[in-house]
Amino acid sequence: ILNVEQSPQSLHVQEGDSTNFTCSFPSSNFYALHWYRWETAKSPEALFVMTLNGDEKKKGRISATLNTKEGYSYLYIKGSQPEDSATYLCASNSGNTGKLIFGQGTTLQVKP
Amino acid sequence: DGGITQSPKYLFRKEGQNVTLSCEQNLNHDAMYWYRQDPGQGLRLIYYSQIVNDFQKGDIAEGYSVSREKKESFPLTVTSAQKNPTAFYLCASSSGTGGKNIQYFGAGTRLSVL
C-alpha cells in the first residue's frame, strides 16, 4: 500500500497571509497526484490532478507543483481568505486505476 | 441537479445488525467507490466498481459487502462481521476508471453503533 503523508496536520493563518502545505508520496510507480478541498459540511471537491514531473497548476489564488522524482507536491494559497478554510486532501495512485491512496489532510483555518 | 446522493445522513447500528448505506449518482459515471474516514486518518478505500455487475475489494473490505446491479447505484452493506463500524463513509464516482479521472463525492453518511 502506498503511504501518502501530508504536513502540517493543521494550520491557522490570518486573512491575507500566503501559505503552503506539502504532500509526499512514494515516487516509484507514480501515476497521478490529486488535490481535493473539503469544506465543513460539504463534499470534497477536486482542485487539481497532476501527472508530469515539474507540472504546475493554478486556479485563482491556489496553485500546486509536482516533483515526481523526489515524491512531493506543494499546494500554495496566495492571500488567504476566510472562505479558503477547509481540509485539503492529496491522493496518489501507482497505476492507471481509480484506486487513490489519500493522505490524512491539512486543515486550514483563516482568521478574518 | 447532477451529483451523488448518499442516504441516510446519520445511521445507527445495533450489535449484530447489518445496515446498508445508499449511494446514487446521476452523472452517468462508470466507476464508483466507497471510502471510510476515521479521525486523524486519510480516506481509506473499502470497495470500488469499474462497471455494472463488477466490483473489487479495496484496502479495508473485511466486514463489508457491495453490489452494482445498476450503473447509478452502489450500496454498501456494513455486516455484523465489521467489529468497528463507527466512522464517516463517503461514496464517490468518476467518469472513467483511469488514474487521472477526478472523483466526485457525496456528502457522506455517519454511522454509529448503539
Side-chain angles (χ1 to χ4, degrees):
Chain A
I1 298 176
L2 290 179
N3 201 24
V4 178
E5 300 283 343
Q6 291 186 247
S7 63
Q9 195 168 359
S10 65
L11 200 51
H12 295 253
V13 302
Q14 289 293 134
E15 184 175 353
D17 288 349
S18 293
T19 187
N20 65 86
F21 2 107
T22 305
C23 173
S24 61
F25 53 88
S27 52
S28 59
N29 299 319
F30 169 82
Y31 190 82
L33 192 284
H34 296 228
W35 280 102
Y36 291 84
R37 175 168 60 197
W38 192 359
E39 294 179 66
T40 303
K42 294 188 177 179
S43 309
E45 289 184 341
L47 287 171
F48 308 112
V49 179
M50 297 186 289
T51 57
L52 299 175
N53 185 46
D55 211 359
E56 189 167 333
K57 299 234 174 180
K58 191 173 179 182
K59 185 184 277 191
R61 293 177 292 97
I62 303 177
S63 60
T65 60
L66 180 66
N67 182 323
T68 62
K69 294 184 178 178
E70 295 181 42
Y72 64 83
S73 174
Y74 293 136
L75 188 80
Y76 299 91
I77 302 179
K78 186 177 176 183
S80 302
Q81 299 297 308
E83 58 265 29
D84 295 326
S85 297
T87 296
Y88 291 82
L89 304 174
C90 75
S92 181
N93 50 13
S94 62
N96 191 14
T97 75
K99 284 188 67 177
L100 292 176
I101 304 297
F102 281 84
Q104 69 273 50
T106 292
T107 299
L108 173 67
Q109 195 112 43
V110 182
K111 296 177 187 175
Chain B
D1 274 23
I4 300 189
T5 302
Q6 289 188 243
S7 62
K9 196 170 179 180
Y10 299 97
L11 188 58
F12 297 92
R13 191 189 93 165
K14 291 181 184 176
E15 209 63 52
Q17 188 182 40
N18 292 355
V19 291
T20 297
L21 285 60
S22 169
C23 178
E24 304 276 327
Q25 53 102 355
N26 61 4
L27 300 168
N28 199 33
H29 283 173
D30 287 317
M32 296 186 74
Y33 312 84
W34 273 106
Y35 294 94
R36 169 179 170 141
Q37 190 201 31
D38 293 283
Q41 294 197 41
L43 301 180
R44 291 184 291 166
L45 184 65
I46 305 172
Y47 267 99
Y48 65 105
S49 168
Q50 296 178 312
I51 198 168
V52 174
N53 292 323
D54 187 46
F55 48 82
Q56 286 82 39
K57 292 181 180 180
D59 300 318
I60 55 164
E62 189 174 342
Y64 300 97
S65 66
V66 293
S67 63
R68 187 89 186 274
E69 295 174 6
K70 297 186 293 183
K71 188 175 187 177
E72 56 270 22
S73 178
F74 191 40
L76 174 75
T77 296
V78 184
T79 74
S80 56
Q82 172 49 248
K83 297 305 176 192
N84 185 21
T86 297
F88 188 70
Y89 292 86
L90 274 172
C91 178
S93 71
S94 61
S95 59
T97 57
K100 297 182 214 176
N101 289 106
I102 287 168
Q103 295 189 12
Y104 295 81
F105 288 84
T109 293
R110 187 166 296 281
L111 175 62
S112 303
V113 176
L114 289 176

